[in-house]
Amino acid sequence: MRRAATLGLLLLAGCATPPPAAPPGAPTLASLAPLRVHVDREPTPAPLEAPALAAYREFLGVATDPVQRAEVERRIGDLEMDRADRLAAARGIAPDYRAAIAAYRARRAEFPHGARDDAVQYQLARAEDLDGDADAALATLTGLAHDHPDSVYADEANFRRGEMLFARADYAGAEPAYAAVLAGVRRHTLAADLPRAPLYERALYMDAWSQYKLDHLDVALAGFFELLDLKLGGLSPAAAEVEDPAAIQALGRADLELVDDTLRIVAIGLSQQAGPDGGGAAIASHLQGRLRRGYAFRVYRALADLYLHQGRHKDAGDTDAAFVRSDPLHAQAPHMQALAVQAYERGGLVALALQARRDDVRLFGADSELRRLRPTLWRQTQPQVRADLAELAHEAHARAQRDHAAADVDAAAHWYRELIAALPDAAAAQQQRFLLAELLYDARRYADAAQAYETGAYAAPATPHGADAGYTALLAYAAQPPTPALRRQAVASALEFARRYAGDPRCAAVLVQAATQLRDLGD
């Protein structure tokens, strides 16, 4: 019976000479074929599992052909794996993979170089790992990668090896494992298809992390930037300017987390390259070419955020400002400049904050290239520009009142005039004109003050300070050396005050003074 069964199995395995028929009831490999378990399918249903194992073991007891025995032993291991998974799920207990492990090891002991040995080693490593024997799983995966470098399981085996070694802080061992995955995928995948290749992006990320842990900073950053190229490098120019990457391309939650994590470690690496001086200079060498310019501002932002978290406010502001200098027409440039101002102010760096505000006005104000080349974006930035102008004017005004320096008066007057020209609301402009006039009067620049007061007092619309501005204009005229022309200007201003503010209690005295001036002029 054993000989007849063996010959029958040889025929089913592909032998050219037809053997005699097997005795009734003897198992054959063909009769067991419907019970075959593949690695990539769902566990075998319970009704088939027990009879399948019994049939395979019965067959193994009579089979002598090494090819058939090797195949059956592999299938027994697969069935034991399925049974362990099913029983654990049904009973809510920890799975027991010892039977599967024993079956796979027996197969490898009898046929160490048998057909599909790579599949056997792959399943054995999985069973060992799930059974809690990480050392054995690592050894099996290492053997699989060594024995079958071109196997369909080789990339995953190397990746799992890398994960195990990295978890043990064996970065010197993990890095070659991840590198083997990358090399294997690249051999069989077109460059354009790499982002969709299984394991590639994750292996690239972990390989870069391993290089970082080994203090190979330049190599690590190159790997992280390659990953960013894959995830963000294909953006259109318009899409690249949008702050939220989820809004510009189909990035799932896992992709967004991967991008965020990569940007964070890139920022850490760049900060280490930059050294204690910080700033954005370390970024430039990594962002050459059109591909990376599309996501450059995200790298600058990540580095600036890191510096802020570390309390390095100057470095954060310098980094934001460095991006603005590199691409002042970018849609994010005005926002980045505002962040630079905020960083300096949070650090108490008043002089740097003021300079950043001046740069903002220069880059995005009335005479900027942004206005000529990107008018829609320019209009969106103007509230920020006006806020900076107001801050610059008021700060210079305060210094002028404190120090009485002519340069501070000039600076404050300049910023007030810039602000007045930029304000779209006439009432708001009138308020700033009154402050300009006050500045000039305090600085004893009476002629300019009188003109500024009159504009504030008599130009539409009327303001709460209108009467005070008109009256102070008369005081400014009176404070100047009297000349016939100046006296006539003062009279004209007084008469306009009396006409515009007839109910003001100072009106009678103003008219008396105007009449006196006219008498003295012989009019």
Side-chain angles (χ1 to χ4, degrees), residues 63-117:
T64 59
D65 180 83
V67 174
Q68 294 178 342
R69 288 184 62 82
E71 178 65 10
V72 169
E73 288 176 352
R74 184 185 67 80
R75 295 183 190 182
I76 289 174
D78 289 346
L79 280 169
E80 291 288 6
M81 285 285 289
D82 280 354
R83 181 161 70 169
D85 290 336
R86 183 184 60 79
L87 291 177
R91 300 175 184 175
I93 60 174
D96 183 355
Y97 295 100
R98 288 177 294 179
I101 293 170
Y104 289 129
R105 287 178 178 173
R107 198 270 197 189
R108 294 215 69 236
E110 187 174 354
F111 306 104
H113 304 294
R116 302 195 65 184
D117 180 61

Side-chain angles (χ1 to χ4, degrees), residues 275-359:
D277 294 334
I283 300 180
S285 62
H286 295 281
L287 294 175
Q288 302 301 316
R290 181 195 60 79
L291 192 69
R292 294 184 179 177
R293 284 199 298 272
Y295 62 83
F297 85 91
R298 305 178 198 279
V299 180
Y300 280 91
R301 264 301 335 130
L303 181 56
D305 285 342
L306 174 66
Y307 285 142
L308 283 176
H309 182 71
Q310 295 173 341
R312 299 169 61 178
H313 298 95
K314 180 182 183 300
D315 293 336
D318 288 350
T319 301
D320 287 324
F323 171 74
V324 178
R325 289 194 301 271
S326 72
D327 195 357
L329 297 178
H330 194 282
Q332 296 296 324
H335 178 58
M336 297 280 274
Q337 188 66 27
L339 291 175
V341 172
Q342 293 175 18
Y344 293 137
E345 289 183 337
R346 286 176 60 180
L349 306 168
V350 176
L352 290 175
L354 289 172
Q355 182 56 54
R357 290 184 185 278
R358 287 191 285 269
D359 291 339

Side-chain angles (χ1 to χ4, degrees), residues 189-228:
T189 309
L190 296 175
D193 295 328
L194 286 178
R196 294 180 293 277
L199 299 179
Y200 186 79
E201 290 179 350
R202 185 68 186 177
L204 183 61
Y205 177 75
M206 294 306 300
D207 180 68
W209 256 111
S210 300
Q211 296 283 10
Y212 178 81
K213 292 291 188 178
L214 293 169
D215 291 329
H216 302 159
L217 185 55
D218 289 338
V219 180
L221 284 172
F224 286 125
F225 272 106
E226 182 183 348
L227 181 58
L228 291 176

Side-chain angles (χ1 to χ4, degrees), residues 507-518:
C507 189
V510 167
L511 287 173
V512 169
Q513 180 62 23
T516 302
Q517 294 274 20
L518 290 170

Side-chain angles (χ1 to χ4, degrees), residues 266-279:
V266 162
I268 293 171
L270 290 172
S271 71
Q272 292 172 345
Q273 277 193 338
D277 294 334

Side-chain angles (χ1 to χ4, degrees), residues 41 107 127 144 155 164 182 188 276 282 335 337 341 440 489:
R41 73 176 181 84
R107 198 270 197 189
L144 169 56
D155 290 341
M164 291 178 175
L182 299 175
H188 305 102
H335 178 58
Q337 188 66 27
V341 172
L440 297 171
Q489 290 178 10

Side-chain angles (χ1 to χ4, degrees), residues 1-256:
M1 179 183 293
R2 177 171 299 193
R3 181 176 180 277
T6 302
L7 290 174
L9 293 172
L10 287 174
L11 173 62
L12 293 169
C15 181
T17 303
T28 65
L29 198 57
S31 68
L32 300 178
L35 306 178
R36 183 176 180 178
V37 178
H38 293 282
V39 172
D40 58 350
R41 73 176 181 84
E42 294 297 319
T44 304
L48 281 178
E49 194 174 80
L53 280 168
Y56 276 129
R57 289 197 170 98
E58 181 183 353
F59 172 78
L60 198 60
V62 299
T64 59
D65 180 83
V67 174
Q68 294 178 342
R69 288 184 62 82
E71 178 65 10
V72 169
E73 288 176 352
R74 184 185 67 80
R75 295 183 190 182
I76 289 174
D78 289 346
L79 280 169
E80 291 288 6
M81 285 285 289
D82 280 354
R83 181 161 70 169
D85 290 336
R86 183 184 60 79
L87 291 177
R91 300 175 184 175
I93 60 174
D96 183 355
Y97 295 100
R98 288 177 294 179
I101 293 170
Y104 289 129
R105 287 178 178 173
R107 198 270 197 189
R108 294 215 69 236
E110 187 174 354
F111 306 104
H113 304 294
R116 302 195 65 184
D117 180 61
D118 56 341
V120 173
Q121 290 193 68
Y122 175 85
Q123 284 289 79
L124 173 58
R126 175 173 171 265
E128 290 167 336
D129 187 38
L130 292 173
D131 203 50
D133 193 348
D135 290 338
L138 178 58
T140 302
L141 290 170
T142 301
L144 169 56
H146 177 269
D147 297 341
H148 307 285
D150 295 322
S151 167
V152 294
Y153 303 104
D155 290 341
E156 186 175 349
N158 279 313
F159 184 81
R160 290 175 62 192
R161 286 177 58 232
E163 298 287 85
M164 291 178 175
L165 292 166
F166 192 95
R168 300 178 182 196
D170 182 0
Y171 309 119
E175 192 283 322
Y178 291 125
V181 178
L182 299 175
V185 175
R186 287 167 181 156
R187 279 198 305 269
H188 305 102
T189 309
L190 296 175
D193 295 328
L194 286 178
R196 294 180 293 277
L199 299 179
Y200 186 79
E201 290 179 350
R202 185 68 186 177
L204 183 61
Y205 177 75
M206 294 306 300
D207 180 68
W209 256 111
S210 300
Q211 296 283 10
Y212 178 81
K213 292 291 188 178
L214 293 169
D215 291 329
H216 302 159
L217 185 55
D218 289 338
V219 180
L221 284 172
F224 286 125
F225 272 106
E226 182 183 348
L227 181 58
L228 291 176
D229 290 344
L230 294 175
K231 305 308 293 183
L232 299 175
L235 304 179
S236 68
E241 294 186 333
V242 179
E243 185 171 7
D244 181 6
I248 54 179
Q249 66 181 60
L251 287 180
R253 179 177 178 180
D255 287 333
L256 289 172

